[in-house]
Amino acid sequence: MWPTLRYVGGVCGRTGCSIAGSFLRASGPVSGVLGLLCRGDRSSSTSSFDIVIVGGGIVGLASARTLILKHPKLSIGVVEKEKDLALHQTGRNSGVIHSGIYYKPESLKAKLCVEGAALIYEYCNLKRIPYRQCGKLIVAVEQEEIPRLQALYERGLQNGVQGLRLIQQEDIKKKEPYCRGLMAIDCPYTGIVNYQQVALSFAQDFQEAGGSILKDFEVKDIGIAKEDPPGSKDGMKYPIAVKNSKGKEIQCRYVVTCAGLYSDRISELSGCNPDPQIVPFRGDYLVLKPEKGYLVKGNIYPVPDSRLPFLGVHFTPRLDGSVWLGPNAVLAFKREGYSPFDFNARDIMEVILKSGFIKLVFRNFSYGASEIYKACFLSETVKHLQKFIPEITTNDVLRGPAGVRAQALDRDGNLVDDFVFDGGAGEIGDRILHVRNAPSPAATSSLAISRMIAEEVQQRFKL
């Protein structure tokens, strides 16, 4: 049972709200799943639900699954703006099952990641979803990195990460023959999986338990319903109306939003505070040519620098045998802008005018310039990779896929590093829970996050 979660911030309602801050606590195959995505005990024409979940990514689907298993008598629907599920952050990440080593001890991120990793492995075993527990080395290549590496090792022990050990050069070579380094943390519990396949399996579980999924339903308004659906004899049983961009409407008692790259905009639809704003960061990957795949066996990561906002480029093996190298981190000019040339005027104006992005740039100007330079010149990224595997050359790599990370940013230009939820008071606020920020490693932590959300939904809505 989760301990009681406490909000920091003010109230939310149609007339405005102040931010409800982070929770603080002490404490088979894809094709087979896709064929089930239009099924469920309730048809897609159903116009009313007890709970509607906005967002068909891994966090939304995990939460829907957990809620319906916990409350099988409730009618629950998921609405997703795309024609398929898990297409954005869930389907465009590196696929790493993180162990929980990086996060501040006793923090929500640390606890959810450690628990979530165990749950993902257990779930994949149960559902026979392929994964590989290939491990990870966090490698110090310079003498000045060793104290940070040792501090990170101690943090991992405090977080309860399984199997950690500090290893020297000779043991690095045994695990990664082509990797150079002075010292490393061997993290054998790290793995890789296809998170889109995991998310689609969550969707299958949800529908088999009686849940409904409505795709191609882009939410454009959340408000008080004018009247109950036709035929209702219960008075105003479904007081919330969720409308899409095509003019269709569904009604419900409660709403939970897990909207990822659009979480701030969806929250604002119900009158909530615009902060924190979502700033999209694109991460471009390189791919190691197949004939050079022998150079990398498991995940190889740099020692993180706490002064910088992101981890830096790393080596990630994939289930299909390929090896991804990267990513960098540059501003995306569109919230779902996977190409450097994707541009949306509204998205970029909101970044400039409404978020703290300019302040973030001033504080990290040299880092940002370096990331842009790496994005433009492949050889510059390869230089960073050669610190770990000197044999890699520009001829060994190809430009690969890209993903966009939904990074919540406050007005002072600080990266919001923990979970943020919005709710509040008033007729509509009492019936909505917005997941405003579910930061990396949200995919690894998805089942643990879903338990937390289900517990909060039960307490908040008195189910």
Side-chain angles (χ1 to χ4, degrees), residues 179-214:
C179 180
R180 65 176 287 269
L182 303 175
M183 183 183 291
I185 299 173
D186 179 14
C187 191
Y189 202 60
T190 301
I192 50 174
V193 73
N194 182 333
Y195 279 118
Q196 186 177 41
Q197 185 172 1
V198 174
L200 294 178
S201 184
F202 292 164
Q204 180 178 357
D205 294 344
F206 171 66
Q207 290 182 298
E208 288 178 347
S212 298
I213 295 177
L214 286 71

Side-chain angles (χ1 to χ4, degrees), residues 142-203:
E142 306 290 347
Q143 196 68 38
E144 64 195 36
E145 294 176 329
I146 290 180
R148 298 206 313 266
L149 185 78
Q150 292 171 326
L152 185 63
Y153 171 71
E154 293 298 327
R155 172 173 285 194
L157 294 180
Q158 291 179 61
N159 288 345
V161 178
Q162 298 183 27
L164 290 183
R165 61 188 186 117
L166 279 173
I167 61 175
Q168 306 299 323
Q169 293 183 36
E170 57 272 19
D171 288 321
I172 293 174
K173 288 292 184 184
K174 289 177 183 177
K175 294 190 73 70
E176 293 286 353
Y178 296 92
C179 180
R180 65 176 287 269
L182 303 175
M183 183 183 291
I185 299 173
D186 179 14
C187 191
Y189 202 60
T190 301
I192 50 174
V193 73
N194 182 333
Y195 279 118
Q196 186 177 41
Q197 185 172 1
V198 174
L200 294 178
S201 184
F202 292 164

Side-chain angles (χ1 to χ4, degrees), residues 275-277 355-357 363 408-416:
D275 296 322
Q277 284 285 309
S355 77
F357 178 73
R363 284 203 304 269
L409 205 65
D410 69 19
R411 291 279 181 167
D412 294 323
N414 299 309
L415 303 182
V416 179

Side-chain angles (χ1 to χ4, degrees), residues 11-68:
V11 297
C12 167
R14 266 296 177 190
T15 57
C17 72
S18 62
I19 184 161
S22 305
F23 280 122
L24 303 177
R25 288 202 324 183
S27 41
V30 172
S31 60
V33 176
L34 283 170
L36 292 165
L37 293 185
C38 293
R39 284 172 41 188
D41 289 349
R42 297 166 67 89
S43 73
S44 60
S45 62
T46 298
S47 60
S48 60
F49 296 93
D50 292 312
I51 300 174
V52 165
I53 295 171
V54 178
I58 195 167
V59 173
L61 293 170
S63 299
R65 173 186 178 273
T66 298
L67 279 168
I68 203 164

Side-chain angles (χ1 to χ4, degrees), residues 104 108 181 186 202 338 405 450 452:
K104 183 179 178 181
L108 199 54
D186 179 14
F202 292 164
Y338 302 111
R405 170 176 175 169
S450 74
M452 181 183 71

Side-chain angles (χ1 to χ4, degrees), residues 336-364:
E336 291 164 358
Y338 302 111
S339 161
F341 306 106
D342 289 337
F343 180 84
N344 180 281
R346 178 187 175 185
D347 291 349
I348 197 64
M349 290 304 293
E350 285 184 350
V351 167
I352 294 171
L353 299 177
K354 295 177 67 175
S355 77
F357 178 73
I358 300 301
K359 294 179 181 178
L360 176 70
V361 169
F362 282 137
R363 284 203 304 269
N364 298 277

